[in-house]
Amino acid sequence: MFFSTAAVVATLASVAVAAPASPTATDPADVYAAQATALTQSPTSKVKGKAFDRYVSIWFENTDYDMAAADPNFKFFAEKGIILSNNIAVTHPSEPNYMAAVGGDYFGLDGDPFTQVPQNVSSVVDLLEDKGISWGLYQEDMPYTGYQGFDWVNQKTGQNDYVRKHNPEILYNSVVTSPERLANIKNTTMFFEDLKANKLPQWMFITPNMTSDGHDTSVTVAGVWLKQFLAPLLDDPNFMDNTLVLLTFDENETYSIQNRVFSVLLGDAVPKELVGTTDDNYYNHYSEISTVEANWDLHTLGRWDVGANVFSYVAAKTGDRLRKWSTTPPLNERYFNTSYPGIFNSKKWAPQPVPDCHSRRNGRTTLPAIKKTWEQEQDKNYYHGQLEIPDGANPPVYPYTY
Ligand SMILES: *[C@@H]1O[C@H](CO)[C@@H](O)[C@H](O)[C@H]1NC(C)=O
Ligand SMILES: *[C@@H]1O[C@H](CO)[C@@H](O)[C@H](O)[C@H]1NC(C)=O
Ligand SMILES: *[C@@H]1O[C@H](CO)[C@@H](O)[C@H](O)[C@H]1NC(C)=O
Ligand SMILES: *[C@@H]1O[C@H](CO)[C@@H](O)[C@H](O)[C@H]1NC(C)=O
Ligand SMILES: CC(=O)N[C@H]1CO[C@H](CO)[C@@H](O)[C@@H]1O
């Protein structure tokens, strides 16, 4: 198959022996015991894409568009790529935005609690594995590979380091119930090992720690971290291998203004003539899924990923049509600052939405495994491949009342 098993550095058996009392324990003694034996994998693959062969998202925190655009380090990278001037987050606060970016919905989540998305909800890794595309997450200061705890503080200073709410795939039970999948959710120590060994995967999600991502600090600190992390990678052939990098923020800081997030596409996959340009098409965090689907001809999740615009330079190569927001209220009157009802909403519950099993976008169809689970519930589906996504002020119309 496409995966290399040579990189398995510990065995499943050793995990079973030393696993902490609970997989979510945050007691340092339990964490250190598990750290010594955690299963870590570095699967690789080389599946050609239409516009890039590797995709990397790096997410920062809570910064208004103009603040990020003015930071000298973010500017440095913006000048090397394409600025996305109309990329709008899906809600506040952080966790639902991360959840959305890999699963195609946030199921009403309106806070940052310990959340577990039900086993029968798929995420982008199901689509990638279906086509043999290797993936990995790199979370700065996560204490060990596959750690499921709520957070982890710096043991010397007591400051926040790693938080579960910024680790998108760990929120999905369909991921954490698989030891092989947990083994791909690593820290940035492992990133540098994988880089050195030329074992980086084709799809990556990178989250700096709570200091480095600007959450507990400022965009200035985030910019300094970004410069020291990414600048050396720009010339590293183990990283740049027809690679597309997305720099983005989970959400805008100010709740009373539209939730537009500063975002840049760069890397050696970006066509030279587009470097230094601005793309003002409407995107949101679901575009991160649809772009990857278009590039590798993946199936879809049948959720908001189906209708999301594909980043335009990629769309030009895949034949995807870019659409403009066409419904009322118009886009400039949509703030995306509250969540709609759902299974995770703290104020108003709504049923678990059923994916669209008959979705079709430029030849891409719903993943067969998703169809198998959900087909008999098709009448409960509210996703219809539209570009316009709901928010708290304009919730989705369910085919039944809640
Ligand atoms: C990163 O993860 C590895 C593998 O589980 C672990 O050995 C290492 O101690 C972790 N590094 C940090 C800084 O926590
Ligand atoms: C976060 O990462 C930075 C460097 O990337 C490191 O200096 C710092 O100690 C880490 N943790 C905290 C709590 O700042
Ligand atoms: C969302 O933004 C609108 C417009 O500024 C404002 O009226 C509303 O109070 C905001 N909602 C929240 C939850 O902050
Ligand atoms: C999906 O999982 C939820 C939560 O466990 C359950 O309520 C629902 O019936 C399941 N639906 C399908 C179609 O598997
Ligand atoms: C649409 C948008 O970007 N909204 C705001 C994000 O925050 C900055 C700074 O407050 C505003 O200038 C933007 O208008």
Side-chain angles (χ1 to χ4, degrees):
M1 284 274 305
F2 297 95
F3 297 111
S4 117
T5 48
V8 176
V9 298
T11 64
L12 282 172
S14 65
V15 170
V17 173
S22 146
T24 56
T26 53
D27 184 289
D30 289 336
V31 170
Y32 289 130
Q35 192 180 49
T37 55
L39 173 69
T40 294
Q41 275 184 168
S42 302
T44 58
S45 56
K46 255 201 177 290
V47 180
K48 263 323 267 172
K50 292 176 182 162
F52 51 86
D53 296 333
R54 174 175 282 149
Y55 174 81
V56 186
S57 298
I58 310 179
W59 275 46
F60 295 90
E61 275 286 311
N62 301 11
T63 302
D64 287 333
Y65 186 99
D66 301 343
M67 288 282 287
D71 177 79
N73 289 309
F74 279 94
K75 243 180 167 156
F76 171 86
F77 291 105
E79 283 163 7
K80 296 189 179 307
I82 305 169
I83 294 178
L84 307 179
S85 61
N86 218 357
N87 190 19
I88 304 179
V90 295
T91 186
H92 288 299
S94 293
E95 188 172 335
N97 285 292
Y98 288 81
M99 182 183 285
V102 299
D105 202 338
Y106 59 81
F107 309 100
L109 184 61
D110 58 348
D112 289 326
F114 190 101
T115 311
Q116 293 176 291
V117 182
Q119 182 77 30
N120 57 18
V121 176
S122 298
S123 73
V124 68
V125 305
D126 293 87
L127 309 179
L128 293 165
E129 288 179 5
D130 176 61
K131 292 283 162 93
I133 296 162
S134 53
W135 60 272
L137 284 80
Y138 295 101
Q139 303 276 314
E140 189 174 29
D141 287 314
M142 187 167 77
Y144 59 84
T145 299
Y147 177 65
Q148 296 176 60
F150 191 62
D151 54 15
W152 179 245
V153 299
N154 184 307
Q155 295 299 297
K156 289 196 196 89
T157 63
Q159 286 177 304
N160 293 324
D161 255 341
Y162 162 83
V163 285
R164 176 188 169 97
K165 66 179 176 178
H166 296 169
N167 185 350
E169 290 289 356
I170 214 84
L171 306 173
Y172 285 79
N173 280 350
S174 53
V175 170
V176 301
T177 50
S178 159
E180 287 78 13
R181 286 180 165 186
L182 278 178
N184 293 346
I185 305 180
K186 301 176 261 190
N187 57 33
T188 48
T189 314
M190 294 305 302
F191 172 85
F192 288 108
E193 287 191 19
D194 290 345
L195 175 73
K196 208 164 139 219
N198 199 13
K199 286 194 170 295
L200 289 174
Q202 285 192 275
W203 182 99
M204 278 178 246
F205 193 106
I206 299 177
T207 308
N209 71 28
M210 291 281 275
T211 297
S212 314
D213 71 4
H215 184 282
D216 290 353
T217 51
S218 64
V219 70
T220 309
V221 173
V224 169
W225 180 89
L226 176 63
K227 184 75 178 285
Q228 60 79 33
F229 181 81
L230 189 58
L233 298 176
L234 295 179
D235 306 312
D236 190 328
N238 288 1
F239 182 83
M240 282 302 166
D241 190 10
N242 200 18
T243 297
L244 177 65
V245 181
L246 169 71
L247 306 178
T248 193
F249 289 80
D250 67 333
E251 51 172 337
N252 202 339
E253 173 80 349
T254 309
Y255 277 42
S256 59
I257 53 182
Q258 197 186 40
N259 203 353
R260 194 157 54 107
V261 285
F262 184 70
S263 307
V264 175
L265 293 175
L266 74 161
D268 63 343
V270 171
K272 295 276 169 298
E273 66 275 16
L274 294 180
V275 168
T277 61
T278 296
D279 173 356
D280 65 2
N281 287 294
Y282 166 62
Y283 304 113
N284 55 39
H285 291 316
Y286 302 126
S287 298
E288 295 168 40
I289 310 175
S290 65
T291 296
V292 165
E293 289 168 349
N295 180 63
W296 279 300
D297 239 332
L298 308 181
H299 285 291
T300 75
L301 297 171
R303 300 189 189 271
W304 299 117
D305 56 316
V306 177
N309 272 336
V310 170
F311 297 138
S312 69
Y313 105 79
V314 178
K317 300 193 183 205
T318 60
D320 278 86
R321 192 166 56 86
L322 281 150
R323 297 186 291 170
K324 298 233 178 292
W325 187 280
S326 60
T327 54
T328 46
L331 185 58
N332 63 3
E333 288 172 23
R334 292 288 294 271
Y335 297 99
F336 297 103
N337 59 1
T338 51
S339 300
Y340 44 77
I343 52 171
F344 296 133
N345 197 282
S346 64
K347 296 183 202 79
K348 192 159 186 183
W349 186 88
Q352 190 180 346
V354 174
D356 181 352
C357 294
H358 307 119
S359 76
R360 194 166 265 283
R361 169 80 44 196
N362 196 19
R364 301 186 291 275
T365 55
T366 315
L367 186 72
I370 295 176
K371 283 190 195 169
K372 204 171 154 217
T373 308
W374 292 97
E375 189 122 50
Q376 71 282 8
E377 305 211 21
Q378 264 315 276
D379 55 325
K380 295 182 189 163
N381 135 53
Y382 67 70
Y383 307 95
H384 300 288
Q386 66 268 46
L387 175 72
E388 293 80 3
I389 61 163
D391 62 7
N394 307 273
V397 179
Y398 294 87
Y400 41 81
T401 52
Y402 51 81

